[in-house]
Amino acid sequence: MKPTLLIFYANSPGQTFLGELDKECKDIQRLLNAVQRRQYEVSLVPQTNINDVIKELSIPERNIEVIHYSGHSSDSKLLFGDSDADANIFAEKLKLLNSVKLVFINGCSSAGQVKFFQSAGIPYVIATSRPIEDIKASWLASQFYNYLSLGRTVNVAFEEIQKDSKLQKMDLDLMVNRSFSLGPPVADENELAWGLYTLPDSADYRLPITSAPAGQMPTDEVRHTKMLSKMLMALKNQTSPISTKYKNTITTIEVFGQPEDKTMVRNLLEILPYPLGIRLQQINGIPDPDNLGEYYRQLLYDYALFFETQLHLSTIMLLGQIWQNKATLGPDLLERFKPIRRFLTDNRLNHSLADYADVIQNGIEILKGSGIGNIIPKIENIKEYLISKSFADACSFFDINKKYFWSHIRFSQSEAVERCYASQDHIIGGLQYFSFVIENILTSVRRVETINFRHIDNYFASSVSQLVAVSDDSWSNSMLDRSPMENKSILCYSQPDYNPSTPSINLFPFLIDRNVFVQQIATEIDLYLFIGFFSDEMTTNLSIRKISSPCFYFMSLKNPQKIWRFNDEDPSGSDLAHIDDVVVEPYRQNHLLTNAGELNSYLSKFKTFFIAS
């Protein structure tokens, strides 16, 4: 039987409610279950009571190696959902198992319990020397298991979180702590409250994760040649209305082998819609040899965003059609809106990529059930992929990549390179199902002249700017002198010769161009993906901002770390500065949204239909 990692947590009756417990422990479970080549099982016991503990420890032939507890504690007790437990008796129970290697007590002032667990022969114990704050406790536990999930030893993982605590300045005020009663810290806040206590001569312990098979270990650097050629081959049977040059490159690959990377990148940028093109461009950026750690951290995030952007584009192409045909929808289809509404009112940055599956499948069924002719029928090809193990594995893998990025995890060279090649494999495996995206054109409709700095510079002296990279001047000429469209949005269509009767999808507000709401010359593409309408804490760069009312949140395509918030309750208070931007007042005055009221009008209609209905 594989070793087991047990996670216990509980909010205790009569004690201060700990709001981070549920998310902390479920995130740890999700992280550990997504580790490739793991040789262990994870058992999570929510709102654990004493009988749960007895039951979990009594399962025959179970090999428990790690015990994690989160909740209220003291120097001698653990508080479960129904009662408190004597830590000494708990340790005696663990001694009988003769298998436990690590106990992590993530509660207040638990260092007094260490002697019990060490007497039970447990080599590694993590405990606290004073009251600990709820949010910081959650952060530290998550960070520790992030490093363990990479195959680091307990000692090394703990050293890393000590560094991270100083580097990321986790000096949050003590608001809610995990002791039996509230009270201020009794030691210097600059000193880490958590300690790792190790029995003498203990062997190194790491999670049971097998190494990559011999001969499959990657090189010591990341190359994209194989991925690029396979991406082109996945698009072989699709026809782009933009360019046919990629077809010649595919023939070259088939006959002569892989050409230079820059040739393949250029061909792909000419046919991929901008949201995917910008990701591919960043994936193929030149690494900084003096800062490889940050390069790999960003690269792994870009792989995850490329994969997610395919899902996002598929989703908004469906929801956009539902949005513009809303008058034809009957009440019998409202039940299918529930997963869509959950999707739209969640923070996409904090949820699993697997959540897209329900939304896409329900979107397809709503179009069918209402008799709306799907402008993009090939989108149905992804249904098979969404229920496959390959999709589930890819989602789990990329969820971790995103978590590592936002947690500022530092990778070794070998760890980073291995995850990069695994990322490429997941992207290649799924791209064939999303290949329909190159058959569609995204166009930004503007009232201003536009200089287009995407991948190949083109000047469009018109209100319409293509959002697919092109190099053929004849294409840009065909788009000149078009009258501004009334919706001022992003349009999606498949015919290269657009006219008002061309079937198209209005992608607003799932994909927006902020420049259309600023009456000035636009010198760059400024596209944003909708990531949710919610009232929540928005955490970027480890700052905490409480939001009193639901707002619309958008993520910059160029820089995904830039999050923009639009307050539809008070649009006059919204500007072009991003959350956590430190800007001077003249900047704000020069960059105020000149058409915030117009944007608010569009968003209000959207909210009424999709969210409030």
Side-chain angles (χ1 to χ4, degrees), residues 30 304 307-308 311-312 315 339 342-343 346 348 350-362 385-400 402:
R30 191 179 300 115
F307 184 82
E308 180 168 10
L311 292 166
H312 199 106
T315 301
R342 285 195 300 269
F343 174 86
D346 277 341
R348 299 306 313 147
N350 292 340
H351 289 264
S352 172
L353 298 181
D355 293 347
Y356 280 94
D358 272 352
V359 179
I360 292 173
Q361 290 166 338
N362 276 279
Y385 179 56
L386 296 178
I387 59 174
S388 68
K389 184 178 183 301
S390 296
F391 175 72
D393 289 345
C395 289
S396 296
F397 182 84
F398 287 124
D399 283 344
I400 293 183
K402 291 171 65 177

Side-chain angles (χ1 to χ4, degrees), residues 69 73-75 78 102-115 117 124-130 132 140 158 192-197:
Y69 168 83
S73 67
S74 70
D75 60 355
L78 302 173
L102 168 67
V103 170
F104 189 154
I105 305 298
N106 202 24
C108 286
S109 307
S110 57
Q113 302 181 27
V114 172
K115 58 182 179 290
F117 297 112
Y124 294 97
V125 182
I126 297 177
T128 58
S129 60
R130 63 175 185 266
I132 56 173
L140 187 132
F158 194 79
L192 194 66
W194 288 258
L196 173 62
Y197 302 86

Side-chain angles (χ1 to χ4, degrees), residues 251-263:
T251 301
T252 299
I253 294 171
E254 293 176 326
V255 177
F256 301 107
Q258 297 156 338
E260 291 185 341
D261 284 10
K262 64 181 180 181
T263 299

